[in-house]
Amino acid sequence: MRCLVTGASGYIGGRLVPELLRAGHQVRCLARSPERLRDQDWADSADIVRGDVTDPDSTGAAMRDIDVAYYLVHALGSGDSFEETDRRAAQNFADRAHAAGVRRIVYLGGLTPEGVPESELSPHLRSRAEVGRIFLESPVPATVLRAAVIIGSGSASFEMLRYLTERLPVMVTPSWVSTRTQPVAVRDVLRYLVGSADMPAEVDRGFDIGGPDVVTYAEMMQRYAAVARLPRRVILPVPVLTPRLSSHWIGVVTPVPPTIARPLTESLRHEVVCREHDITDHVPDPPDAPIGIDRALTLALRRVRDADVATRWSSASVPGAPSDPLPTDPDWSGGSLYTDRRSRQVDAPPEALWRVIESIGGDNGWYSFPLAWAVRGGLDRLMGGVGLRRGRRDAQRLRVGDTLDFWRVEEIEHGRLLRLRAEMRLPGLAWLELRADTAPPEEGAPPGEGATEYSQRALFHPHGLLGHLYWWSISPFHAVVFGGMARNIARAAEHRARNEEATDRSRASRPTAVGAGGG
């Protein structure tokens, strides 16, 4: 099957493309900025074209030879005119699909409350319902999937839930926390989307999709707290917080942009519960699906280990799983990640800098304020941690898995990168990353004259409010601890390089001894 996916740089689209490829379909992606997709693992397996769903020409060109067209875009976050933009884009998409002979349109929209006229819905839900209606009224058979809160890292609704629960042990909330909803795991959403490609031609309707649990938003927050191993949250609903006021409140507590938070928050006053589960007539549920809320939350919160890209991490087990963050997810998704960056140019070859980096810790020390490290190690021992007593296995060489005082070597690229994961007692997860690189030469400099650059990142993923308070409390000391480390490592590399150069000169200047011949 030849599939067109719009919104491939978005939350659902970026996760749908690899699922369609795994199912054996050919995939074309329509994107306004194709360059945003170049780092995706599947970029070489899909046809990526430039275009916009509001533009008839580019949309029509992308529709050529397509069997199934997925519409996974919306104008939410573009301002107050998003309803008009959504309407125009959907009508253009439907018209171009019909002209190109597309066999099916698949659209993921929003679950709407039963018995509420469309005119009384929030602008967000009203727009989603209108887009679905445009597709169902078009000549092209359509599958319109209607979902409530989608649970997975990167989903705007889930990210709002994450930040509110993580950061506020006590919440004064609007009355919508008592509204019932039926969340669905992103894995189930993707399974229904992939299965919709094979629906028979006579199927032209909408389907409600949801998980097995119907909960209030307050219950969802408490279950999040339980899965995240946070204390039970104190939730105090008050009637005076209108949806507009509560959207401002969410804007203060969370990094979700107000242009997205406000329409989503206004929709929370509506009870959205599935009225049917007819989707299983065409996409049967496997024995372990649909996924319940606790397992969906567990998958979305799987502990992370790869801090190579700030605020986005790979899974601790299966890379690329649908619940995991993607490089194209917005910066505010995936939870908080605090970063302290330092870099310095070093007057020494990269090899000398690397030898200093690889010898760090243990009896060699941390090239920083010794008292601060000793105090931190002592505090860790008092809290039942390992402190600084473990040292290191080898004074000069490291390998993945080695212990290094209260760190463990998580990643090593010899000559270039050392990444350590903290094993001290912390209200969160922490890494320390040290790099030795050759910076590009300055303009006009001869080839090979690039400078050596030392770069250092300390990263911290807080757990609950205590994690945030911990980072804020120690951040005033970072200039001394991390700044001093960067400065002293650079100096140590320069000193080592000078000593090695002097040793080499001394060896070269020694006269070669010539033995006398006998006989």
Side-chain angles (χ1 to χ4, degrees):
M1 198 85 71
R2 292 162 299 187
C3 301
L4 173 69
V5 176
T6 61
S9 60
Y11 171 59
I12 292 295
R15 290 157 174 80
L16 176 63
V17 171
E19 297 298 315
L20 289 171
L21 291 170
R22 273 192 284 269
H25 299 300
Q26 299 176 43
V27 178
R28 179 181 299 155
C29 301
L30 177 66
R32 286 183 296 180
S33 303
E35 57 275 8
R36 291 190 61 198
L37 303 177
R38 64 188 175 196
D39 293 331
Q40 295 280 18
D41 294 339
W42 46 260
D44 293 336
S45 303
D47 178 22
I48 302 173
V49 299
R50 186 181 300 274
D52 191 312
V53 290
T54 61
D55 174 48
D57 292 338
S58 60
T59 305
M63 292 278 191
R64 288 195 198 105
D65 303 319
I66 289 297
D67 299 309
V68 179
Y70 285 88
Y71 191 83
L72 303 172
V73 296
H74 58 77
L76 191 68
S78 62
D80 294 335
S81 62
F82 74 87
E83 288 186 83
E84 171 56 32
T85 304
D86 277 339
R87 182 183 306 116
R88 181 162 47 88
Q91 191 62 62
N92 175 61
F93 195 81
D95 292 343
R96 295 307 102 199
H98 177 53
V102 172
R103 293 164 47 188
R104 177 166 299 279
I105 293 173
V106 181
Y107 168 60
L108 176 63
L111 194 59
T112 54
E114 186 174 11
V116 178
E118 194 171 296
S119 59
E120 297 180 14
L121 296 176
S122 69
H124 165 242
L125 286 184
R126 185 169 61 232
S127 179
R128 292 298 182 93
E130 182 182 24
V131 169
R133 189 175 64 255
I134 289 172
F135 291 141
L136 291 174
E137 291 175 353
S138 78
V140 181
T143 300
V144 174
L145 303 179
R146 298 180 291 250
V149 175
I150 298 177
I151 298 180
S153 182
S155 161
S157 298
F158 173 76
E159 294 299 340
M160 284 168 49
L161 172 75
R162 181 208 299 267
Y163 286 111
L164 289 173
T165 311
E166 286 270 353
R167 295 183 174 185
L168 298 177
V170 179
M171 287 179 260
V172 177
T173 62
S175 57
W176 54 251
V177 295
S178 300
T179 303
R180 296 196 311 158
T181 187
Q182 193 165 348
V184 58
V186 64
R187 294 185 180 215
D188 284 327
V189 173
L190 295 173
R191 184 169 54 81
Y192 294 138
L193 285 168
V194 172
S196 296
D198 296 317
M199 285 187 177
E202 63 270 16
V203 176
D204 186 19
R205 56 161 291 186
F207 297 91
D208 293 349
I209 58 172
D213 302 298
V214 177
V215 294
T216 66
Y217 287 96
E219 290 169 342
M220 198 154 46
M221 291 176 184
Q222 297 293 11
R223 291 173 89 154
Y224 179 103
V227 170
R229 299 182 181 178
L230 295 168
R232 184 173 177 82
R233 283 12 213 164
V234 177
I235 300 175
L236 305 172
V238 295
V240 294
L241 281 178
T242 65
R244 181 171 293 274
L245 285 175
S246 62
S247 70
H248 291 303
W249 168 67
I250 288 173
V252 171
V253 176
T254 81
V256 179
T259 52
I260 294 176
R262 185 175 301 117
L264 288 178
T265 305
E266 290 173 353
S267 301
L268 298 180
R269 69 178 189 268
H270 299 300
E271 180 174 287
V272 283
V273 177
C274 295
R275 295 175 290 272
E276 42 82 14
H277 195 50
D278 298 346
I279 187 69
T280 55
D281 294 340
H282 307 283
V283 187
D285 288 330
D288 59 345
I291 296 172
I293 183 173
D294 291 335
R295 184 176 169 226
L297 289 168
T298 299
L299 291 170
L301 294 177
R302 285 192 302 180
R303 282 307 178 210
V304 296
R305 67 173 184 174
D306 183 2
D308 188 47
V309 182
T311 74
R312 301 177 181 96
W313 309 292
S314 300
S315 160
S317 55
V318 184
S323 306
D324 298 335
L326 289 181
T328 51
D329 287 346
D331 290 341
W332 44 261
S333 68
S336 300
L337 184 68
Y338 293 115
T339 306
D340 182 277
R341 297 175 184 268
R342 311 278 168 170
S343 64
R344 296 183 71 88
Q345 290 213 345
V346 183
D347 186 17
E351 298 79 15
L353 174 58
W354 175 253
R355 285 192 285 273
V356 174
I357 290 174
E358 195 175 13
S359 66
I360 199 167
D363 292 338
N364 300 324
W366 288 90
Y367 297 93
S368 185
F369 188 36
L371 180 59
W373 287 92
V375 169
R376 187 63 187 87
L379 289 174
D380 194 55
R381 290 286 301 275
L382 288 175
M383 294 186 291
V386 295
L388 297 173
R389 59 185 171 179
R390 296 192 303 191
R392 50 181 294 155
R393 174 189 58 86
D394 185 287
Q396 301 300 325
R397 300 285 291 174
L398 291 173
R399 62 190 181 193
V400 172
D402 276 0
T403 57
L404 190 58
D405 295 328
F406 44 42
W407 303 89
R408 186 174 296 276
V409 179
E410 182 177 86
E411 182 71 26
I412 187 167
E413 297 176 21
H414 284 285
R416 180 172 176 268
L417 167 70
L418 173 64
R419 181 181 298 133
L420 308 174
R421 185 182 69 248
E423 293 190 338
M424 64 191 85
R425 293 298 180 96
L426 287 171
L429 302 172
W431 297 266
L432 180 61
E433 184 180 271
L434 315 176
R435 287 179 179 270
D437 292 303
T438 301
E442 295 182 4
E443 188 175 350
E449 291 295 320
T452 299
E453 183 176 50
Y454 171 71
S455 57
Q456 171 185 300
R457 289 198 305 171
L459 304 108
F460 183 65
H461 177 44
H463 185 224
L465 180 61
L466 184 60
H468 293 277
L469 295 175
Y470 170 80
W471 178 266
W472 295 333
S473 67
I474 64 171
S475 58
F477 305 102
H478 286 174
V480 173
V481 177
F482 294 128
M485 176 184 289
R487 184 170 56 252
N488 293 333
I489 285 178
R491 288 175 178 171
E494 292 167 350
H495 180 70
R496 179 187 284 263
R498 287 194 295 269
N499 286 345
E500 291 174 351
E501 186 178 351
T503 300
D504 291 342
R505 282 200 305 268
S506 175
R507 288 174 178 169
S509 64
R510 291 175 186 169
T512 302
V514 180

